[in-house]
Amino acid sequence: MRLRRRRQCFPSCSSLHRVDEDEIYWRQKKGDEELEWSHSSAHIISQLTQCFANAMVGPRSWVGGLFNRSSNKRNEKFIDYPLCPLQEQRLQRLQERLQVPFEETRPDHQEALRALWHAAFPNIAFKGLISEQWKEMGWQGPNPSTDFRGCGLISLENLLFFARTYPASFHRLLFKQGGQRAAWEYPFAVAGINVSFMLIQMLDLSSVKPRCLPGINFIKLLGDDEEAFDELYCIAFEMMDAQWLAMNASYMDFNEVLQVTRTQLERELSLEDINRIQDLPAYNLLYQ
């Protein structure tokens, strides 16, 4: 979705220097088709969650095609760089995770989904894998498994990691606590799947090895911490919410907010002194 105008980055990252966009390779305009929104008040909530999920839902072959089109635009000068054995091993394991679809009949996948509910709502009785109560977390409908078709199991793993590792941040975003919130907020769970999808694209993880500067620097973080992708997911989700508040955004602005978040995260991942995930300026957004 095209940005309508340049926005000011959120305050915690404002110390980064603004660089002329002609000197930054990653500022590519995404010529994706724009979503059409209905303003019928009777259907606005269901259509809102559907619009957020449109990028995610669909056959995995479609997702792969999108990755390939995106990666073909990368700057080729970064292709040749060595990976140490540890980095290569961890990148391969991460890429294997990306290939695992969510299967609602698998007991381990069912258990992960059940664990997510208990982490999100520990004091509310779980009514089942298919239940209207899932909408309270921001899924499209009563069966959250239908929302995983475009991004697979890793998007559920990301949400579960967020809930278990940074529960204060997770619940603050889930319940939309803090800040001047919009009348129509983004649906938490579907937004989370979009964050996973955005990171996979941004880091060029569909390639044998990333061919973009943020992706290359991410491999360094992966060598330091095998959970770097899950950690980066938590940071990106917090960044997205911070941008949402800074831009006084509402549901129609979500794609713009996500694009601004991506640009800011690319900047942070391109800093020279980033050796650990904790070195990212936005890491401080997380509530321990």
Side-chain angles (χ1 to χ4, degrees):
M1 181 175 182
R2 299 184 182 88
L3 295 178
R4 295 193 294 271
R5 57 185 178 277
R6 181 173 296 174
R7 301 280 189 173
Q8 180 66 38
C9 298
F10 56 84
S12 66
C13 298
S14 61
S15 59
L16 298 180
H17 297 295
R18 184 179 296 279
V19 183
D20 188 272
E21 64 181 6
D22 293 333
E23 298 177 358
I24 301 297
Y25 75 91
W26 59 75
R27 289 194 180 179
Q28 302 169 356
K29 292 185 178 180
K30 299 171 68 179
D32 300 334
E33 59 275 348
E34 299 194 7
L35 297 176
E36 295 181 357
W37 296 83
S38 167
H39 296 281
S40 169
S41 59
H43 301 287
I44 194 165
I45 296 178
S46 61
Q47 290 180 353
L48 164 60
T49 53
Q50 178 63 55
C51 287
F52 281 117
N54 276 345
M56 302 284 83
V57 177
R60 294 188 63 81
S61 59
W62 175 85
V63 177
L66 181 58
F67 286 161
N68 292 334
R69 289 194 296 274
S70 175
S71 62
N72 287 338
K73 299 177 182 178
R74 303 298 185 186
N75 192 322
E76 296 297 321
K77 72 177 181 179
F78 294 115
I79 289 180
D80 295 323
Y81 64 96
L83 292 179
C84 73
L86 180 62
Q87 291 172 337
E88 187 172 2
Q89 183 183 65
R90 290 181 173 178
L91 175 60
Q92 182 177 355
R93 283 202 290 262
L94 175 58
Q95 290 174 328
E96 288 171 355
R97 288 176 63 192
L98 302 181
Q99 300 304 313
V100 180
F102 180 84
E103 299 180 21
E104 59 181 317
T105 58
R106 283 185 52 168
D108 55 336
H109 292 191
Q110 294 174 353
E111 181 57 34
L113 195 55
R114 192 178 293 109
L116 178 63
W117 175 269
H118 290 305
F121 304 106
N123 299 318
I124 300 179
F126 179 68
K127 295 182 180 179
L129 297 173
I130 300 178
S131 169
E132 291 294 324
Q133 70 178 171
W134 283 107
K135 295 180 181 179
E136 298 176 24
M137 197 185 295
W139 299 101
Q140 286 189 89
N143 185 2
S145 66
T146 61
D147 292 331
F148 293 120
R149 287 179 295 185
C151 206
L153 181 64
I154 195 167
S155 54
L156 172 57
E157 293 175 337
N158 289 156
L159 281 167
L160 191 54
F161 179 89
F162 192 12
R164 288 171 167 171
T165 309
Y166 302 102
S169 279
F170 178 88
H171 286 99
R172 187 179 63 83
L173 270 56
L174 172 62
F175 298 124
K176 305 297 189 298
Q177 297 169 342
Q180 185 66 38
R181 312 304 306 200
W184 294 107
E185 283 286 325
Y186 61 85
F188 175 80
V190 178
I193 295 180
N194 276 269
V195 172
S196 295
F197 188 75
M198 178 269 288
L199 287 178
I200 294 169
Q201 285 187 298
M202 184 191 77
L203 300 174
D204 196 21
L205 293 177
S206 64
S207 301
V208 175
K209 59 182 180 180
R211 295 177 291 177
C212 59
L213 184 56
I216 293 170
N217 287 341
F218 168 73
I219 298 302
K220 300 175 185 177
L221 303 182
L222 193 61
D224 176 72
D225 181 358
E226 189 164 12
E227 295 181 327
F229 183 81
D230 300 272
E231 292 278 358
L232 191 61
Y233 171 86
C234 301
I235 294 170
F237 211 145
E238 276 282 9
M239 291 176 74
M240 185 276 294
D241 189 77
Q243 289 285 9
W244 178 272
L245 292 174
M247 295 165 62
N248 296 314
S250 189
Y251 65 93
M252 289 186 66
D253 303 313
F254 181 81
N255 281 357
E256 180 176 355
V257 171
L258 195 63
Q259 177 60 36
V260 173
T261 301
R262 171 174 173 160
T263 299
Q264 188 63 44
L265 190 55
E266 285 174 325
R267 289 174 179 167
E268 295 203 7
L269 282 169
S270 299
L271 296 173
E272 293 182 357
D273 56 347
I274 303 299
N275 300 305
R276 305 176 307 143
I277 200 77
Q278 292 83 0
D279 294 333
L280 291 169
Y283 179 79
N284 295 323
L285 291 171
L286 289 169
Y287 287 63
Q288 303 295 325

